[in-house]
Structures are given as C-alpha cells and as structure tokens.
Amino acid sequence: MTEGLRERKKRQTKQRISDIATGLFLERGFVTVTIAEIAEAADVSVNTVYNYFPAKEDLFLDRGADAVDRLSRHVRGRREGESAADAVLRELRTDVESASPAVGLFPGWADFMKVITEAQPLRSRLWAIQQEALDNLAKTLAEEAGAADGDPLPALVAGQLSWLHSTLMSWIGDEMAKGREVPEVSREGLALLDEMESLLGERVLNYAVRAAG
C-alpha cells in the first residue's frame, strides 16, 4: 500500500521531533531537557509533541516497537530447513558483519547508551522493552512450533535466544565505549557469536525447524 502525502508528512514530522529531541538529550542529558524545549527547537507545540510521543521516554527510545518484534521477525523469516536459533544467529551475524547500527556498531553508540544509563526512566523503559520482546518471542516460537498449551519449551528457547542478543549488544556497547574501531569490534563480535553458539544445547539449536515446502 502506497504511503499517502498526509501519512508521509506525519511520519516526517514525528522523525524530525525525535531527531531534535535525541540531539538535545545527547548534548544535555535526558532529565534536564524539557518537552517545552523540545517543542520550541522543533517549532511545534507541546501538544504536538505529546500527540506523537505520549511519554518523554518515547522520544529517545522511539524504535521500541521495532525492537520488541526484531527477534520474532527473524524466527518468522527463517528458511526451509533452518531452526529458530539458526535464523537468529544468521541475522545477528549479518548485522555484525555489516556493522549495522541495529547492533550498536557506530561511533555514537557509547554516547547513546550513556544517556540511558544516566536516566532511571530510560533504564526502566529499556527493561520493559526487553521483557516485552522476550514475551513476544516466546509467543512467536509457540506459534511457529505448534506447541501445546503449557509447553515450557517456547519460553525456555526464547530465553536462550534473548540471551544471545542481549549479551552481544552489551559486549558491543562496552567495546564501543572504549573508543575502539568498528571493524575490530565487528570481527571480535563474530567470534563471540561463535562462542555463544557453541554453548547452546541441541534442543535449542534444533527447535522449530521450518519444514520444506
């Protein structure tokens, strides 16, 4: 479905407000910047900001909905003969190898995370996003594997796959905070993924294999 002019303008306005807010947060910290200051900098009303972003945290973590569904998308998009874990590992390796911003492989990642670690509301929101993503992944795995009600495996496998993702992201954040070059962190990130895969059991690695045809 083609995006209409009205929808495109709304999307562009929302992105501009978010970008301006992020710049202010990076410069001055999350707590000290007010919604009124963001509205003034974006040349919109305070009500307009709240129409697009119900909470201040949404201005900085504006891609939360995408993050919630990311691992589930990897699982739903797995190839024939590929398990859920295989698909997640493949996508993570692709992101790391291509130095994707989605896994924090860009020079400003450390500054971005510094804003979060210094603001309790953002830390709480990030934790909530991670929990929602875990619950969403468990539901997706249950659906994709045709699991029976009460089967604990979808939640257990979801926990392992979430561990892969969160451990990788945490490690990349720590390394980027040291001022290291992206290509170096990328190479070592791939080796870390190999190590983590070797720790996964066969039941996890072979869960929810997509049948041929």
Side-chain angles (χ1 to χ4, degrees):
M1 183 176 178
T2 304
E3 183 182 40
L5 178 61
R6 178 182 174 85
E7 288 73 21
R8 183 167 69 253
K9 285 185 175 180
K10 288 176 67 176
R11 176 176 54 79
Q12 291 171 341
T13 298
K14 181 178 181 180
Q15 189 61 57
R16 184 169 63 85
I17 294 171
S18 175
D19 290 345
I20 289 171
T22 297
L24 290 172
F25 294 147
L26 288 169
E27 180 183 348
R28 294 166 46 199
F30 179 79
V31 176
T32 57
V33 177
T34 67
I35 295 296
E37 289 172 326
I38 293 168
E40 182 178 2
D43 195 27
V44 297
S45 69
V46 169
N47 283 342
T48 297
V49 175
Y50 279 118
N51 284 339
Y52 286 107
F53 303 96
K56 186 179 176 182
E57 294 84 354
D58 298 328
L59 284 156
F60 196 68
L61 297 171
D62 60 320
R63 293 176 175 83
D66 178 76
V68 164
D69 197 48
R70 183 171 299 144
L71 294 184
S72 287
R73 287 200 306 273
H74 296 342
V75 171
R76 291 193 297 268
R78 68 196 186 286
R79 301 164 179 169
E80 289 186 1
E82 191 174 49
S83 70
D86 289 337
V88 169
L89 284 161
R90 172 173 53 78
E91 293 287 354
L92 289 177
R93 285 190 174 100
T94 297
D95 284 342
V96 172
E97 192 169 15
S98 64
S100 170
V103 289
L105 283 169
F106 62 96
W109 180 246
D111 295 330
F112 182 86
M113 290 306 298
K114 184 172 183 288
V115 174
I116 294 176
T117 57
E118 291 179 348
Q120 177 61 44
L122 288 176
R123 295 200 304 272
S124 296
R125 176 58 64 84
L126 183 60
W127 181 86
I129 289 171
Q130 291 168 340
Q131 290 303 117
E132 190 176 350
L134 176 59
D135 292 342
N136 186 55
L137 179 58
K139 181 180 178 181
T140 298
L141 286 168
E143 293 172 349
E144 293 293 316
D149 291 342
D151 185 346
L153 271 180
L156 293 174
V157 175
Q160 294 293 297
L161 300 185
S162 294
W163 166 76
L164 279 174
H165 181 255
S166 62
T167 301
L168 175 69
M169 294 292 291
S170 178
W171 180 85
I172 288 175
D174 289 344
E175 296 306 305
M176 293 303 294
K178 297 174 185 176
R180 299 187 62 197
E181 296 295 325
V182 169
E184 291 179 347
V185 178
S186 174
R187 285 196 299 273
E188 292 181 18
L190 290 172
L192 178 65
L193 278 170
D194 289 343
E195 288 290 336
M196 288 193 289
E197 181 179 5
S198 72
L199 295 175
L200 297 177
E202 289 300 315
R203 293 184 72 187
V204 173
L205 290 170
N206 294 320
Y207 191 74
V209 174
R210 170 152 284 163

